Amino acid sequence: MHNSELSEQEQIRRNSLEEIKKLGFNPYPPETFEISHQAAEVKSVFKNNETALKSITLAGRIMSRRIMGSASFAEIQDSSGRIQIYVRRDDLCAGEDKTLYNTVFKKLLDIGDIIGIRGFAFRTQVGEISVHVKELVILSKSIKPLPIVKEAEGKVYDAVTDAEFRYRQRYVDLIVNPESRELFRKRTQIYTSLRELYNSKGYLEVETPVLQPIPGGAAARPFITHHNTLNIPLYLRIANELYLKRLIVGGYDGVYEFSKDFRNEGMDRAHNPEFTVMEIYVAYKDYKWMMDFTEEMIEKVALDLHGTTKVIVGDQEIDFKRPFKRITMLDAIKESTGFDISGMDEAGLRSIAECLEVELDETMGKGKIIDEIFGEKAEPHMIQPTFITDYPVEMSPLCKKHRDNPELTERFELMVNGKELCNAYTELNDPIDQLERFQEQLKLSEKGDNEAMFIDLDFVRALEYGMPPTSGMGMGMDRLVMLMTNQASIQEVLFFPQMKPEKKAIEMTEDEKVIINLLKANSPIDLNELKGQTGLSNKKWDKAIKGLTKNKLARVEKTDAGLLVSLV
């Protein structure tokens, strides 16, 4: 980055960096800094025994400073939280050379710098647990200033709330917003809770391919790449279902995976092209057993995370205490719309959809039409945990037909807060039936459905060796975290959500900056009045205003009152 592109603060920090080096201090030392305690641990131990912490080492980022004369206070932050430190010149610099305190600490260190300290814990006159610093070492000089976040009496002011900034620069969000760090700790806690349950049952955590020759296991549009050596197209997986069921064929009684899946589809508050799914398959079970197991699983997560099954989501209180409501898909549509669509053909379903003002297109078959009707008219009303069961066979090409009605399948989805959380089947293990279902999907693809499943002949071959009766379930982990942490956007629970390309800052001339600063104070404004305020010559004015309008930073509009200039 050229110096002309740096802000004043960035240039000052770079100058400080050079001064630190000239004084003989390494602002980025290579050696290990051994840490004996973290901030939260110091406070906890000191409360129980005020004489225990006579020699401790900590490291953290400077988050505030109160520079005084021969003694100063600062606050450092590590992964556990913040703690105050007390730095006294004569303790830090025992000899005659006071450079480390007078110059480095007081003048050249900044908020955001990372330091290591050695000292002892004590309580200040106002009662705050602090660390009296005897030694200090610079561990990393920060040359970009942090956003200023003010705190007083335990309350945060001016917190960094701009979503685009927080998602794009998550590292800054995590530094300055402790609630963001806590949210992602809870995400890990949710994973741990699930793993504890699965491992206690003896199920094996596995890994399956991300790059797949055939994108199977779900109805979704894949990302496509190319393998140069093999000279074949490969797909980022849209699901890991077919590989996990191959492992059940191979002899495992239960397997699960937390998998990164990728779908080349839209982005919104509930969808990211890269997301995490947990899929689990258990041999000799059916979807009724899986419903019971799912209830046990979700209830455990709520209790482990919150100590209660009741969770606040938006303005709703959702109770994850077992058992959950169960209703068939067709009954749910009837309950929500008054229409009984049982046994209807495609023409009848299209007529009902038209009556309900549900938009369709020509590529949709029976299954997609039913799914659209349900999604539009029934799903949003499912606030408390509700199992939607027994889906029409056209909607579930990997699912076993219902034992009592061959027009339906043994499938459920768990709906919570108006959205799908889990999808589960009594798995189809008849290889002949499976091949016929794939062929039906091929017909939909030929009809124009770009989300129809591919035919995976190797998976059919695996079934031909025999797969035991099996139930499988997939759950969106991002959505589970959203529910359990009361977040309305998936971007909040992903460390690094997909973002549009970052717009480059437009370099303005000095004349353009003059115009923009005037517009910030008064916009819109009469063109001639603005031109007069700038004091620019006609040539400079014309060049500057053309540059601003070309880069869409300012706008000139003709009105009844004349030409007005405004900020865009």
Side-chain angles (χ1 to χ4, degrees), residues 344-563:
M344 279 190 180
D345 60 13
E346 184 175 325
L349 290 170
R350 285 185 175 276
S351 175
I352 294 297
E354 184 178 354
C355 182
L356 293 171
E357 298 182 345
V358 174
E359 290 189 20
L360 305 177
D361 62 54
E362 305 78 36
T363 68
M364 292 180 177
K366 284 180 61 177
K368 276 287 185 75
I369 296 171
I370 294 171
D371 195 28
E372 287 294 312
I373 294 172
F374 175 79
E376 287 284 328
K377 300 300 178 181
E379 186 175 315
H381 304 298
M382 311 290 175
I383 303 301
Q384 296 301 320
T386 303
F387 287 118
I388 305 299
T389 69
D390 303 347
Y391 283 53
V393 69
E394 294 86 358
M395 296 180 64
S396 310
L398 298 170
C399 185
K400 186 171 284 189
K401 289 181 180 177
H402 199 282
R403 64 196 72 176
D404 299 322
N405 184 347
E407 296 293 316
L408 303 176
T409 56
E410 297 200 347
R411 173 185 178 185
F412 74 78
E413 289 184 314
L414 176 60
M415 301 293 171
V416 185
N417 199 37
K419 291 184 175 62
E420 172 204 341
L421 179 61
C422 304
N423 186 22
Y425 307 153
T426 299
E427 299 295 336
L428 180 59
N429 61 344
D430 179 341
I432 296 173
D433 190 3
Q434 180 63 85
L435 181 58
E436 291 173 352
R437 305 274 196 96
F438 276 146
Q439 289 167 340
E440 285 297 318
Q441 288 289 300
L442 182 60
K443 291 177 184 177
L444 289 175
S445 179
E446 292 169 348
K447 192 177 177 181
D449 186 347
N450 56 24
E451 291 186 351
M453 289 189 188
F454 289 56
I455 296 181
D456 188 337
L457 292 177
D458 179 69
F459 175 66
V460 175
R461 179 170 58 188
L463 293 185
E464 288 174 346
Y465 283 99
M467 184 175 81
T470 298
S471 182
M473 185 267 288
M475 177 173 63
M477 289 301 298
D478 308 308
R479 288 191 180 179
L480 178 63
V481 176
M482 287 168 65
L483 282 170
M484 291 293 174
T485 59
N486 192 17
Q487 299 299 321
S489 170
I490 192 172
Q491 286 79 19
E492 290 289 347
V493 302
L494 299 174
F495 270 128
F496 305 106
Q498 193 65 43
M499 303 287 289
K500 292 180 181 178
E502 190 169 4
K503 292 180 180 179
K504 292 184 178 180
I506 298 171
E507 191 70 21
M508 290 189 292
T509 67
E510 291 303 315
D511 293 341
E512 289 170 348
K513 289 178 182 177
V514 169
I515 296 174
I516 288 295
N517 287 333
L518 289 170
L519 285 172
K520 285 179 179 178
N522 187 9
S523 173
I525 183 175
D526 179 80
L527 183 144
N528 290 322
E529 183 182 345
L530 176 62
K531 180 181 176 182
Q533 290 180 9
T534 66
L536 298 174
S537 67
N538 289 338
K539 186 176 180 180
K540 286 186 174 182
W541 163 262
D542 289 341
K543 185 177 180 180
I545 197 67
K546 285 177 181 177
L548 293 173
T549 54
K550 180 182 177 181
N551 289 318
K552 298 182 179 179
L553 297 174
R555 177 172 50 238
V556 178
E557 294 177 294
K558 189 174 183 179
T559 69
D560 293 339
L563 293 176

Side-chain angles (χ1 to χ4, degrees), residues 216-406:
R221 184 184 299 177
F223 287 93
I224 306 173
T225 186
H226 185 82
H227 192 288
N228 292 333
T229 301
L230 297 176
N231 193 28
I232 59 171
L234 289 173
Y235 304 85
L236 292 180
R237 69 179 168 204
I238 57 176
N240 53 345
E241 174 173 344
L242 302 188
Y243 284 91
L244 292 175
K245 287 197 283 194
R246 285 173 170 94
L247 298 180
I248 296 294
V249 171
Y252 294 108
D253 283 344
V255 293
Y256 72 93
E257 181 178 15
F258 292 93
S259 66
K260 283 290 185 183
D261 290 352
F262 308 84
R263 297 183 183 177
N264 197 357
E265 299 169 344
M267 293 170 55
D268 56 33
R269 293 168 69 83
H271 297 88
N272 193 67
E274 175 184 355
F275 57 100
T276 305
V277 174
M278 187 291 304
E279 292 204 33
I280 184 167
Y281 292 82
V282 184
Y284 309 108
K285 307 297 184 186
D286 66 5
Y287 80 136
K288 293 182 179 179
W289 176 90
M290 187 60 80
M291 272 189 271
D292 294 337
F293 183 65
T294 300
E295 288 176 337
E296 178 184 1
M297 179 181 74
I298 303 295
E299 184 183 65
K300 178 181 186 298
V301 168
L303 288 170
D304 286 350
L305 196 65
H306 300 292
T308 175
T309 59
K310 294 180 179 179
V311 177
I312 299 299
V313 180
D315 57 2
Q316 303 280 352
E317 181 182 81
I318 296 177
D319 194 347
F320 291 101
K321 183 174 178 58
R322 293 182 276 177
F324 302 162
K325 178 182 177 180
R326 303 182 184 191
I327 185 173
T328 69
M329 171 172 258
L330 298 183
D331 283 346
I333 291 174
K334 184 178 179 180
E335 188 178 272
S336 298
T337 69
F339 289 100
D340 185 351
I341 63 172
S342 305
M344 279 190 180
D345 60 13
E346 184 175 325
L349 290 170
R350 285 185 175 276
S351 175
I352 294 297
E354 184 178 354
C355 182
L356 293 171
E357 298 182 345
V358 174
E359 290 189 20
L360 305 177
D361 62 54
E362 305 78 36
T363 68
M364 292 180 177
K366 284 180 61 177
K368 276 287 185 75
I369 296 171
I370 294 171
D371 195 28
E372 287 294 312
I373 294 172
F374 175 79
E376 287 284 328
K377 300 300 178 181
E379 186 175 315
H381 304 298
M382 311 290 175
I383 303 301
Q384 296 301 320
T386 303
F387 287 118
I388 305 299
T389 69
D390 303 347
Y391 283 53
V393 69
E394 294 86 358
M395 296 180 64
S396 310
L398 298 170
C399 185
K400 186 171 284 189
K401 289 181 180 177
H402 199 282
R403 64 196 72 176
D404 299 322
N405 184 347

Side-chain angles (χ1 to χ4, degrees), residues 159-179:
V160 179
T161 57
D162 179 73
E164 170 136 352
F165 176 85
R166 291 174 49 246
Y167 303 157
R168 202 177 290 282
Q169 298 188 44
R170 181 66 83 184
Y171 36 88
V172 179
D173 176 40
L174 295 171
I175 292 171
V176 301
N177 290 328
E179 64 275 12

Side-chain angles (χ1 to χ4, degrees), residues 208-225:
T208 60
V210 173
L211 285 174
Q212 301 180 350
I214 295 174
R221 184 184 299 177
F223 287 93
I224 306 173
T225 186

Side-chain angles (χ1 to χ4, degrees), residues 70-110:
S70 61
S72 300
F73 286 96
E75 193 174 39
I76 64 171
Q77 174 178 285
D78 61 21
S79 63
S80 72
R82 296 187 183 189
I83 192 165
Q84 180 174 266
I85 63 173
Y86 173 69
V87 185
R88 186 169 170 268
R89 182 187 61 201
D90 293 339
D91 290 329
L92 197 61
C93 310
E96 292 185 7
D97 185 358
K98 308 297 183 182
T99 303
L100 180 58
Y101 180 82
N102 287 341
T103 304
V104 176
F105 182 78
K106 289 180 69 174
K107 298 177 181 179
L108 301 179
L109 290 188
D110 295 287

